[in-house]
Amino acid sequence: KGNLMSRYMSARFASLEAYVPGEQPQDKKYVKLNTNESPFPPSPQVIAAVNREQVGRLNLYPDPECRRLCSKLAACYQVKEENVFLANGSDDVLNFECMAFCDSARPVGFPDISYGFYPVYARLHNIPAREIPLREGFVLAAEDYCGLGCNIVLANPNAPSGRAIPVEDVEKILRTNPDHVVVVDEAYVDFGAESCRRLLDHYDNLLVCMTFSKSRSMAGGRLGFALGSRELIEDLNKLKFSTNPYSINRLTIVAAEAALDSQDYYLQNCRTIAENRSYTVEKLARLGFTTIPSQANFIFTRCSKLSGGTLYQKLKERGVLVRYWNKPALKDYVRVTIGSKEQMDVLLNQVQAILEEG
């Protein structure tokens, strides 16, 4: 889907290959562990906030500046309101970042194995891209980015491995690329990694990209944000207000405000997911699996007894969805979202049954 071109489409997009999201089959009910969604609903405060009164106001445009939400985010992350940028999901944030800071004369560098949207955006905006190979074991080495001489985008923790690098390594990259923007995509940081946002006071070329989709259970709400210097945020807002200033809808705004008032609820959910992650890794190890150390809400795992593609297909037949990429470096692995304890037990029982089948 999305890779065909009609006779009406601009020729500049003729070779564009669209990002392929995780499948969302509707043929039956699945245990869905393929798109890194939270297994928990939004907090009770969020559900109460999205009420009849708010729905009744959908005839009115939302605040394009999201001033109250911006103020709450600034307080939450101990920055000024001028350091916060809001958009329709973190993918939208990343798109604006590519538009604002990269072009044919200003390339971008990112890991060769990472979030699949990075190369898509580079092709979409005709940005020369440098794909930096990961080291053995899907390790991102900071020295490979020091003095790279171009803009840089890093997911930390990275995907699909779940590996994270320490803040000190991010600082090395920032310090050695002072004239280029370094974007750190922290979509999964709340599940055990350390955020690099404490570096914002020291590096005006740092942008930290975050989302409400994962730890705050709002994947369907579509809200992302970036933290950065006033100058970088102004650049992003200029593009946002030149395209769609009302991109964040009224219900998402009130839901996000309530989510920020529910921090204890979400922190407990993150702790539970981390516990379920450890539990799942341990149980899979007993079944002969090798798992990349993860600090995200997913794991990247393989078993010498069967291929990643076979495991993916057999689990799907049994009603369990995981993510699989048929690419040379990834084909032995599947990525498994960490869900509830009950969901993980279903996965583990089905994996054991598949292995017993031979």
Side-chain angles (χ1 to χ4, degrees):
K1 288 185 178 180
N3 292 329
L4 299 177
M5 185 181 71
S6 77
R7 61 193 177 95
Y8 303 104
M9 192 177 202
S10 169
R12 63 190 169 130
F13 298 126
S15 61
L16 184 66
E17 292 187 15
Y19 173 75
V20 180
E23 60 187 320
Q24 305 276 0
Q26 305 296 316
D27 57 321
K28 63 180 181 181
K29 187 175 181 179
Y30 289 90
V31 174
K32 199 165 176 294
L33 305 175
N34 67 323
T35 50
N36 297 342
E37 296 149 316
S38 173
F40 303 109
S43 73
Q45 292 97 314
V46 170
I47 293 170
V50 184
N51 55 31
R52 181 182 293 271
E53 178 187 354
Q54 293 296 336
V55 172
R57 301 181 70 193
L58 285 176
N59 59 308
L60 303 174
Y61 284 113
D63 175 9
E65 296 181 4
C66 305
R67 283 165 289 191
R68 190 164 62 182
L69 174 56
C70 188
S71 177
K72 281 180 173 284
L73 274 169
C76 180
Y77 291 101
Q78 299 179 312
V79 297
K80 297 178 180 178
E81 293 177 33
E82 65 186 22
N83 303 125
V84 180
F85 173 75
L86 289 153
N88 187 242
S90 59
D91 291 336
D92 210 26
V93 176
L94 293 166
N95 188 30
F96 281 124
E97 288 166 349
C98 285
M99 293 170 63
F101 309 118
C102 304
D103 55 34
S104 58
R106 290 179 290 183
V108 62
F110 46 78
D112 65 338
I113 298 173
S114 193
Y115 184 33
F117 240 134
Y118 302 156
V120 171
Y121 283 141
R123 290 190 294 266
L124 177 65
H125 297 297
N126 194 31
I127 302 166
R130 297 178 61 181
E131 299 194 29
I132 313 301
L134 294 178
R135 304 288 182 93
E136 185 178 354
F138 304 101
V139 171
L140 190 155
E143 53 265 35
D144 293 338
Y145 297 83
C146 291
L148 195 61
C150 64
N151 294 326
I152 296 168
V153 181
L154 302 174
N156 193 36
N158 198 14
S161 70
R163 279 193 184 275
I165 62 173
V167 173
E168 291 73 21
D169 282 358
V170 175
E171 185 167 19
K172 290 176 187 175
I173 296 168
L174 284 161
R175 191 170 59 245
T176 59
N177 292 280
D179 299 321
H180 299 89
V181 176
V182 177
V183 177
V184 182
D185 183 354
E186 293 189 346
Y188 303 105
V189 75
D190 293 331
F191 300 101
E194 183 184 1
S195 174
C196 68
R197 62 181 181 270
R198 62 181 171 87
L199 301 177
L200 288 167
D201 289 338
H202 308 287
Y203 298 93
D204 60 9
N205 61 327
L206 169 64
L207 266 170
V208 181
C209 179
M210 305 180 84
T211 180
F212 276 66
S213 293
K214 312 303 180 183
S215 62
R216 290 193 174 100
S217 303
M218 278 182 53
R222 312 309 304 130
L223 181 65
F225 61 100
L227 307 176
S229 65
R230 178 180 58 80
E231 291 79 7
L232 295 183
I233 299 304
E234 286 180 350
D235 291 340
L236 294 172
N237 274 317
K238 182 176 183 179
L239 289 173
K240 175 183 171 181
F241 280 80
S242 299
T243 51
N244 183 6
Y246 297 111
S247 62
I248 304 171
N249 72 76
R250 177 179 293 277
L251 298 184
T252 291
I253 291 172
V254 297
E257 290 172 0
L260 291 171
D261 293 330
S262 314
Q263 287 292 83
D264 289 344
Y265 173 84
Y266 293 111
L267 288 172
Q268 180 55 52
N269 288 348
C270 289
R271 285 192 288 266
T272 299
I273 288 171
E275 291 167 2
N276 293 348
R277 182 180 65 210
S278 298
Y279 168 80
T280 304
V281 170
E282 180 185 347
K283 294 290 187 181
L284 285 174
R286 295 179 186 179
L287 295 173
F289 280 72
T290 301
T291 303
I292 303 298
S294 172
Q295 291 180 278
N297 68 333
F298 57 84
I299 57 173
F300 204 44
T301 190
R302 65 182 174 91
C303 181
S304 61
K305 300 173 185 177
L306 73 172
S307 70
T310 299
L311 178 58
Y312 155 77
Q313 189 59 47
K314 287 185 175 292
L315 283 171
K316 184 176 180 180
E317 291 167 1
R318 292 168 173 267
V320 179
L321 288 178
V322 298
R323 193 79 189 266
Y324 172 69
W325 289 270
N326 188 19
K327 297 180 179 180
L330 308 178
K331 62 183 179 63
D332 291 337
Y333 291 81
V334 294
R335 191 194 68 191
V336 181
T337 302
I338 301 301
S340 66
K341 178 74 159 29
E342 292 74 19
Q343 288 176 316
M344 305 323 293
D345 281 335
V346 171
L347 167 80
L348 292 164
N349 289 336
Q350 293 302 334
V351 167
Q352 184 169 357
I354 290 167
L355 293 174
E356 289 173 354
E357 279 183 353

PDB file of all heavy atoms in Angstrom, residues 220-246:
ATOM      1  N   GLY A 220      -4.044   6.296  19.951  1.00  0.00           N
ATOM      2  CA  GLY A 220      -5.160   6.715  19.111  1.00  0.00           C
ATOM      3  C   GLY A 220      -5.451   8.194  19.169  1.00  0.00           C
ATOM      4  O   GLY A 220      -6.226   8.710  18.356  1.00  0.00           O
ATOM      5  N   GLY A 221      -4.836   8.908  20.103  1.00  0.00           N
ATOM      6  CA  GLY A 221      -5.057  10.339  20.239  1.00  0.00           C
ATOM      7  C   GLY A 221      -4.173  11.177  19.341  1.00  0.00           C
ATOM      8  O   GLY A 221      -4.490  12.318  19.035  1.00  0.00           O
ATOM      9  N   ARG A 222      -3.020  10.612  18.931  1.00  0.00           N
ATOM     10  CA  ARG A 222      -2.070  11.267  18.036  1.00  0.00           C
ATOM     11  C   ARG A 222      -1.557  12.589  18.594  1.00  0.00           C
ATOM     12  O   ARG A 222      -1.991  13.672  18.201  1.00  0.00           O
ATOM     13  CB  ARG A 222      -2.675  11.490  16.628  1.00  0.00           C
ATOM     14  CG  ARG A 222      -3.356  10.289  16.002  1.00  0.00           C
ATOM     15  CD  ARG A 222      -2.508   9.017  16.017  1.00  0.00           C
ATOM     16  NE  ARG A 222      -1.213   9.200  15.385  1.00  0.00           N
ATOM     17  CZ  ARG A 222      -0.056   8.851  15.937  1.00  0.00           C
ATOM     18  NH1 ARG A 222      -0.017   8.318  17.143  1.00  0.00           N
ATOM     19  NH2 ARG A 222       1.057   9.027  15.302  1.00  0.00           N
ATOM     20  N   LEU A 223      -0.621  12.499  19.512  1.00  0.00           N
ATOM     21  CA  LEU A 223       0.012  13.688  20.070  1.00  0.00           C
ATOM     22  C   LEU A 223       1.483  13.420  20.313  1.00  0.00           C
ATOM     23  O   LEU A 223       1.854  12.480  21.010  1.00  0.00           O
ATOM     24  CB  LEU A 223      -0.661  14.101  21.390  1.00  0.00           C
ATOM     25  CG  LEU A 223      -0.076  15.367  22.038  1.00  0.00           C
ATOM     26  CD1 LEU A 223      -0.310  16.588  21.154  1.00  0.00           C
ATOM     27  CD2 LEU A 223      -0.676  15.594  23.421  1.00  0.00           C
ATOM     28  N   GLY A 224       2.312  14.258  19.723  1.00  0.00           N
ATOM     29  CA  GLY A 224       3.746  14.213  19.961  1.00  0.00           C
ATOM     30  C   GLY A 224       4.243  15.605  20.301  1.00  0.00           C
ATOM     31  O   GLY A 224       3.549  16.606  20.083  1.00  0.00           O
ATOM     32  N   PHE A 225       5.444  15.670  20.848  1.00  0.00           N
ATOM     33  CA  PHE A 225       5.999  16.975  21.180  1.00  0.00           C
ATOM     34  C   PHE A 225       7.519  16.915  21.135  1.00  0.00           C
ATOM     35  O   PHE A 225       8.121  15.836  21.175  1.00  0.00           O
ATOM     36  CB  PHE A 225       5.507  17.461  22.547  1.00  0.00           C
ATOM     37  CG  PHE A 225       5.880  16.592  23.718  1.00  0.00           C
ATOM     38  CD1 PHE A 225       6.947  16.920  24.544  1.00  0.00           C
ATOM     39  CD2 PHE A 225       5.143  15.452  24.017  1.00  0.00           C
ATOM     40  CE1 PHE A 225       7.280  16.125  25.635  1.00  0.00           C
ATOM     41  CE2 PHE A 225       5.459  14.656  25.110  1.00  0.00           C
ATOM     42  CZ  PHE A 225       6.541  14.997  25.912  1.00  0.00           C
ATOM     43  N   ALA A 226       8.113  18.090  21.020  1.00  0.00           N
ATOM     44  CA  ALA A 226       9.572  18.211  21.041  1.00  0.00           C
ATOM     45  C   ALA A 226       9.953  19.252  22.075  1.00  0.00           C
ATOM     46  O   ALA A 226       9.227  20.230  22.304  1.00  0.00           O
ATOM     47  CB  ALA A 226      10.110  18.596  19.674  1.00  0.00           C
ATOM     48  N   LEU A 227      11.110  19.039  22.685  1.00  0.00           N
ATOM     49  CA  LEU A 227      11.693  19.997  23.612  1.00  0.00           C
ATOM     50  C   LEU A 227      13.010  20.469  23.014  1.00  0.00           C
ATOM     51  O   LEU A 227      13.818  19.658  22.557  1.00  0.00           O
ATOM     52  CB  LEU A 227      11.939  19.350  24.981  1.00  0.00           C
ATOM     53  CG  LEU A 227      10.743  18.656  25.641  1.00  0.00           C
ATOM     54  CD1 LEU A 227      11.191  17.981  26.942  1.00  0.00           C
ATOM     55  CD2 LEU A 227       9.622  19.634  25.908  1.00  0.00           C
ATOM     56  N   GLY A 228      13.234  21.771  23.010  1.00  0.00           N
ATOM     57  CA  GLY A 228      14.462  22.291  22.433  1.00  0.00           C
ATOM     58  C   GLY A 228      14.630  23.765  22.712  1.00  0.00           C
ATOM     59  O   GLY A 228      13.811  24.387  23.410  1.00  0.00           O
ATOM     60  N   SER A 229      15.668  24.345  22.161  1.00  0.00           N
ATOM     61  CA  SER A 229      15.938  25.768  22.352  1.00  0.00           C
ATOM     62  C   SER A 229      14.831  26.602  21.703  1.00  0.00           C
ATOM     63  O   SER A 229      14.120  26.140  20.807  1.00  0.00           O
ATOM     64  CB  SER A 229      17.292  26.140  21.749  1.00  0.00           C
ATOM     65  OG  SER A 229      17.265  25.979  20.341  1.00  0.00           O
ATOM     66  N   ARG A 230      14.689  27.832  22.165  1.00  0.00           N
ATOM     67  CA  ARG A 230      13.648  28.712  21.624  1.00  0.00           C
ATOM     68  C   ARG A 230      13.767  28.854  20.113  1.00  0.00           C
ATOM     69  O   ARG A 230      12.767  28.832  19.386  1.00  0.00           O
ATOM     70  CB  ARG A 230      13.736  30.089  22.296  1.00  0.00           C
ATOM     71  CG  ARG A 230      12.714  31.103  21.779  1.00  0.00           C
ATOM     72  CD  ARG A 230      12.862  32.439  22.496  1.00  0.00           C
ATOM     73  NE  ARG A 230      14.202  32.995  22.342  1.00  0.00           N
ATOM     74  CZ  ARG A 230      14.632  33.642  21.257  1.00  0.00           C
ATOM     75  NH1 ARG A 230      13.832  33.827  20.220  1.00  0.00           N
ATOM     76  NH2 ARG A 230      15.864  34.125  21.223  1.00  0.00           N
ATOM     77  N   GLU A 231      15.013  28.979  19.621  1.00  0.00           N
ATOM     78  CA  GLU A 231      15.212  29.177  18.186  1.00  0.00           C
ATOM     79  C   GLU A 231      14.711  27.974  17.382  1.00  0.00           C
ATOM     80  O   GLU A 231      14.035  28.120  16.351  1.00  0.00           O
ATOM     81  CB  GLU A 231      16.695  29.427  17.885  1.00  0.00           C
ATOM     82  CG  GLU A 231      17.233  30.752  18.396  1.00  0.00           C
ATOM     83  CD  GLU A 231      17.559  30.740  19.886  1.00  0.00           C
ATOM     84  OE1 GLU A 231      17.493  29.651  20.510  1.00  0.00           O
ATOM     85  OE2 GLU A 231      17.861  31.809  20.434  1.00  0.00           O
ATOM     86  N   LEU A 232      15.032  26.763  17.838  1.00  0.00           N
ATOM     87  CA  LEU A 232      14.598  25.570  17.115  1.00  0.00           C
ATOM     88  C   LEU A 232      13.081  25.418  17.158  1.00  0.00           C
ATOM     89  O   LEU A 232      12.456  25.052  16.156  1.00  0.00           O
ATOM     90  CB  LEU A 232      15.268  24.330  17.699  1.00  0.00           C
ATOM     91  CG  LEU A 232      16.788  24.225  17.554  1.00  0.00           C
ATOM     92  CD1 LEU A 232      17.274  22.896  18.129  1.00  0.00           C
ATOM     93  CD2 LEU A 232      17.235  24.375  16.113  1.00  0.00           C
ATOM     94  N   ILE A 233      12.481  25.702  18.311  1.00  0.00           N
ATOM     95  CA  ILE A 233      11.024  25.586  18.445  1.00  0.00           C
ATOM     96  C   ILE A 233      10.326  26.611  17.552  1.00  0.00           C
ATOM     97  O   ILE A 233       9.300  26.314  16.921  1.00  0.00           O
ATOM     98  CB  ILE A 233      10.602  25.743  19.916  1.00  0.00           C
ATOM     99  CG1 ILE A 233      11.245  24.649  20.776  1.00  0.00           C
ATOM    100  CG2 ILE A 233       9.087  25.718  20.039  1.00  0.00           C
ATOM    101  CD1 ILE A 233      10.959  23.228  20.342  1.00  0.00           C
ATOM    102  N   GLU A 234      10.874  27.822  17.463  1.00  0.00           N
ATOM    103  CA  GLU A 234      10.291  28.829  16.567  1.00  0.00           C
ATOM    104  C   GLU A 234      10.332  28.371  15.119  1.00  0.00           C
ATOM    105  O   GLU A 234       9.376  28.586  14.360  1.00  0.00           O
ATOM    106  CB  GLU A 234      11.031  30.157  16.731  1.00  0.00           C
ATOM    107  CG  GLU A 234      10.698  30.895  18.021  1.00  0.00           C
ATOM    108  CD  GLU A 234      11.456  32.202  18.157  1.00  0.00           C
ATOM    109  OE1 GLU A 234      12.379  32.451  17.348  1.00  0.00           O
ATOM    110  OE2 GLU A 234      11.126  32.974  19.087  1.00  0.00           O
ATOM    111  N   ASP A 235      11.430  27.723  14.722  1.00  0.00           N
ATOM    112  CA  ASP A 235      11.526  27.204  13.354  1.00  0.00           C
ATOM    113  C   ASP A 235      10.446  26.165  13.089  1.00  0.00           C
ATOM    114  O   ASP A 235       9.796  26.165  12.024  1.00  0.00           O
ATOM    115  CB  ASP A 235      12.905  26.582  13.125  1.00  0.00           C
ATOM    116  CG  ASP A 235      14.029  27.613  13.101  1.00  0.00           C
ATOM    117  OD1 ASP A 235      13.740  28.803  12.888  1.00  0.00           O
ATOM    118  OD2 ASP A 235      15.190  27.212  13.298  1.00  0.00           O
ATOM    119  N   LEU A 236      10.237  25.285  14.033  1.00  0.00           N
ATOM    120  CA  LEU A 236       9.228  24.238  13.865  1.00  0.00           C
ATOM    121  C   LEU A 236       7.824  24.831  13.815  1.00  0.00           C
ATOM    122  O   LEU A 236       6.988  24.428  12.985  1.00  0.00           O
ATOM    123  CB  LEU A 236       9.334  23.222  15.005  1.00  0.00           C
ATOM    124  CG  LEU A 236      10.609  22.385  15.053  1.00  0.00           C
ATOM    125  CD1 LEU A 236      10.648  21.563  16.338  1.00  0.00           C
ATOM    126  CD2 LEU A 236      10.720  21.468  13.843  1.00  0.00           C
ATOM    127  N   ASN A 237       7.553  25.789  14.677  1.00  0.00           N
ATOM    128  CA  ASN A 237       6.229  26.405  14.684  1.00  0.00           C
ATOM    129  C   ASN A 237       5.957  27.186  13.405  1.00  0.00           C
ATOM    130  O   ASN A 237       4.810  27.241  12.932  1.00  0.00           O
ATOM    131  CB  ASN A 237       6.075  27.322  15.900  1.00  0.00           C
ATOM    132  CG  ASN A 237       5.602  26.573  17.125  1.00  0.00           C
ATOM    133  OD1 ASN A 237       4.694  25.733  17.046  1.00  0.00           O
ATOM    134  ND2 ASN A 237       6.194  26.865  18.271  1.00  0.00           N
ATOM    135  N   LYS A 238       6.980  27.769  12.838  1.00  0.00           N
ATOM    136  CA  LYS A 238       6.793  28.486  11.567  1.00  0.00           C
ATOM    137  C   LYS A 238       6.262  27.538  10.495  1.00  0.00           C
ATOM    138  O   LYS A 238       5.344  27.887   9.738  1.00  0.00           O
ATOM    139  CB  LYS A 238       8.119  29.108  11.122  1.00  0.00           C
ATOM    140  CG  LYS A 238       8.006  29.912   9.834  1.00  0.00           C
ATOM    141  CD  LYS A 238       9.326  30.596   9.493  1.00  0.00           C
ATOM    142  CE  LYS A 238       9.179  31.455   8.246  1.00  0.00           C
ATOM    143  NZ  LYS A 238      10.444  32.149   7.914  1.00  0.00           N
ATOM    144  N   LEU A 239       6.814  26.340  10.442  1.00  0.00           N
ATOM    145  CA  LEU A 239       6.344  25.369   9.450  1.00  0.00           C
ATOM    146  C   LEU A 239       4.970  24.818   9.809  1.00  0.00           C
ATOM    147  O   LEU A 239       4.115  24.632   8.940  1.00  0.00           O
ATOM    148  CB  LEU A 239       7.350  24.227   9.334  1.00  0.00           C
ATOM    149  CG  LEU A 239       8.665  24.593   8.654  1.00  0.00           C
ATOM    150  CD1 LEU A 239       9.645  23.447   8.735  1.00  0.00           C
ATOM    151  CD2 LEU A 239       8.423  24.979   7.198  1.00  0.00           C
ATOM    152  N   LYS A 240       4.748  24.566  11.094  1.00  0.00           N
ATOM    153  CA  LYS A 240       3.432  24.060  11.508  1.00  0.00           C
ATOM    154  C   LYS A 240       2.332  25.060  11.148  1.00  0.00           C
ATOM    155  O   LYS A 240       1.281  24.682  10.612  1.00  0.00           O
ATOM    156  CB  LYS A 240       3.435  23.780  13.012  1.00  0.00           C
ATOM    157  CG  LYS A 240       2.084  23.376  13.570  1.00  0.00           C
ATOM    158  CD  LYS A 240       2.150  23.188  15.073  1.00  0.00           C
ATOM    159  CE  LYS A 240       0.774  22.989  15.681  1.00  0.00           C
ATOM    160  NZ  LYS A 240       0.822  22.838  17.152  1.00  0.00           N
ATOM    161  N   PHE A 241       2.570  26.344  11.432  1.00  0.00           N
ATOM    162  CA  PHE A 241       1.553  27.352  11.156  1.00  0.00           C
ATOM    163  C   PHE A 241       1.498  27.736   9.680  1.00  0.00           C
ATOM    164  O   PHE A 241       0.631  28.514   9.288  1.00  0.00           O
ATOM    165  CB  PHE A 241       1.783  28.576  12.044  1.00  0.00           C
ATOM    166  CG  PHE A 241       1.265  28.395  13.438  1.00  0.00           C
ATOM    167  CD1 PHE A 241       1.999  27.691  14.375  1.00  0.00           C
ATOM    168  CD2 PHE A 241       0.035  28.894  13.814  1.00  0.00           C
ATOM    169  CE1 PHE A 241       1.519  27.491  15.661  1.00  0.00           C
ATOM    170  CE2 PHE A 241      -0.460  28.701  15.096  1.00  0.00           C
ATOM    171  CZ  PHE A 241       0.282  27.997  16.028  1.00  0.00           C
ATOM    172  N   SER A 242       2.390  27.168   8.889  1.00  0.00           N
ATOM    173  CA  SER A 242       2.334  27.345   7.442  1.00  0.00           C
ATOM    174  C   SER A 242       1.662  26.163   6.754  1.00  0.00           C
ATOM    175  O   SER A 242       1.502  26.159   5.524  1.00  0.00           O
ATOM    176  CB  SER A 242       3.750  27.521   6.869  1.00  0.00           C
ATOM    177  OG  SER A 242       4.376  28.663   7.405  1.00  0.00           O
ATOM    178  N   THR A 243       1.301  25.154   7.534  1.00  0.00           N
ATOM    179  CA  THR A 243       0.659  23.966   6.967  1.00  0.00           C
ATOM    180  C   THR A 243      -0.712  23.727   7.591  1.00  0.00           C
ATOM    181  O   THR A 243      -1.735  23.905   6.933  1.00  0.00           O
ATOM    182  CB  THR A 243       1.545  22.722   7.149  1.00  0.00           C
ATOM    183  OG1 THR A 243       1.951  22.623   8.523  1.00  0.00           O
ATOM    184  CG2 THR A 243       2.794  22.800   6.276  1.00  0.00           C
ATOM    185  N   ASN A 244      -0.749  23.376   8.880  1.00  0.00           N
ATOM    186  CA  ASN A 244      -2.023  23.087   9.534  1.00  0.00           C
ATOM    187  C   ASN A 244      -1.945  23.476  11.001  1.00  0.00           C
ATOM    188  O   ASN A 244      -1.607  22.656  11.850  1.00  0.00           O
ATOM    189  CB  ASN A 244      -2.369  21.599   9.394  1.00  0.00           C
ATOM    190  CG  ASN A 244      -3.723  21.276  10.001  1.00  0.00           C
ATOM    191  OD1 ASN A 244      -4.461  22.171  10.427  1.00  0.00           O
ATOM    192  ND2 ASN A 244      -4.057  20.003  10.039  1.00  0.00           N
ATOM    193  N   PRO A 245      -2.301  24.720  11.339  1.00  0.00           N
ATOM    194  CA  PRO A 245      -2.188  25.153  12.736  1.00  0.00           C
ATOM    195  C   PRO A 245      -3.171  24.455  13.668  1.00  0.00           C
ATOM    196  O   PRO A 245      -2.985  24.473  14.882  1.00  0.00           O
ATOM    197  CB  PRO A 245      -2.478  26.651  12.654  1.00  0.00           C
ATOM    198  CG  PRO A 245      -3.249  26.832  11.394  1.00  0.00           C
ATOM    199  CD  PRO A 245      -2.731  25.802  10.442  1.00  0.00           C
ATOM    200  N   TYR A 246      -4.220  23.828  13.118  1.00  0.00           N
ATOM    201  CA  TYR A 246      -5.214  23.142  13.945  1.00  0.00           C
ATOM    202  C   TYR A 246      -5.019  21.627  13.923  1.00  0.00           C
ATOM    203  O   TYR A 246      -5.972  20.861  14.009  1.00  0.00           O
ATOM    204  CB  TYR A 246      -6.624  23.479  13.470  1.00  0.00           C
ATOM    205  CG  TYR A 246      -6.987  24.938  13.584  1.00  0.00           C
ATOM    206  CD1 TYR A 246      -7.152  25.722  12.445  1.00  0.00           C
ATOM    207  CD2 TYR A 246      -7.174  25.539  14.821  1.00  0.00           C
ATOM    208  CE1 TYR A 246      -7.496  27.066  12.535  1.00  0.00           C
ATOM    209  CE2 TYR A 246      -7.514  26.881  14.932  1.00  0.00           C
ATOM    210  CZ  TYR A 246      -7.672  27.642  13.776  1.00  0.00           C
ATOM    211  OH  TYR A 246      -8.004  28.968  13.887  1.00  0.00           O
TER     212      TYR A 246
END
